[in-house]
Amino acid sequence: MNNEEKKQYLRRYQAAKRREKMIQEEIDELRSSKTSPVGLGDGLPHGSGTSDLSGYAARLDELLRELEAEREMQMVTYREIRQRIGMVPDPTEQEILSRRYLLWQSWEKIAVEMGYSYRNVTRLHGYALKHFELL
């Protein structure tokens, strides 16, 4: 397996986090549209003219289930990637992979946090990818 395929595998957790964030934003937008005065008209209570909220409730329920499923899948992905990173023999290489692919840190931040130069971090990342094994 080449390094690009390994990176793609390692980026799965980041992609899962982005999907979770998008679902959460959709939930927030849906809730906002139903609770803001703009979404309800003039904000004043109305008698028989109130709208049926069943469509809203059904969509909200669907999104909440989707969010929960995404979070469960995200945790499975996290554990799987973390376990594979743990198989890399060198602890420094493990840390670089974890910081980059699980914590989403930039190369600059990794270099500062670990006390290495930017160039050294990227070089060590290359070694880490060589040692990273997919079954």
Side-chain angles (χ1 to χ4, degrees):
M1 182 162 285
N2 67 38
N3 282 353
E4 247 348 278
E5 291 170 320
K6 291 176 182 181
K7 288 179 193 178
Q8 186 177 0
Y9 173 83
L10 289 164
R11 289 181 185 131
R12 288 174 40 232
Y13 178 65
Q14 292 176 1
K17 290 292 282 183
R18 283 192 304 272
R19 284 191 307 271
E20 175 196 14
K21 184 178 178 189
M22 286 176 32
I23 295 167
Q24 186 61 57
E25 288 172 358
E26 193 173 344
I27 290 169
D28 294 345
E29 179 63 29
L30 182 64
R31 285 180 171 157
S32 174
S33 71
K34 283 298 178 188
T35 58
S36 71
V38 172
L40 297 175
D42 61 6
L44 298 174
H46 298 278
S48 61
T50 58
S51 64
D52 179 17
L53 294 178
S54 62
Y56 161 77
R59 180 65 181 141
L60 181 61
D61 185 56
E62 176 186 337
L63 286 170
L64 289 171
R65 286 180 213 230
E66 195 176 321
L67 180 63
E68 185 60 32
E70 188 60 49
R71 285 180 175 161
E72 287 176 25
M73 193 61 177
Q74 182 186 119
M75 290 315 303
V76 168
T77 302
Y78 176 88
R79 281 191 294 264
E80 182 182 308
I81 291 172
R82 185 78 196 111
Q83 181 181 22
R84 299 272 174 104
I85 289 173
M87 292 179 191
V88 172
D90 184 273
T92 301
E93 293 173 4
Q94 286 179 16
E95 184 175 352
I96 289 171
L97 292 174
S98 294
R99 287 180 178 277
R100 184 66 178 173
Y101 297 105
L102 297 176
L103 300 177
W104 305 12
Q105 291 182 346
S106 68
W107 296 119
E108 294 82 4
K109 182 165 175 89
I110 294 169
V112 168
E113 295 285 325
M114 295 182 70
Y116 291 119
S117 69
Y118 175 93
R119 181 163 164 65
N120 201 24
V121 166
T122 57
R123 183 180 58 80
L124 289 169
H125 176 258
Y127 293 143
L129 288 176
K130 284 181 185 176
H131 299 132
F132 184 79
E133 295 291 330
L134 291 175
L135 301 176

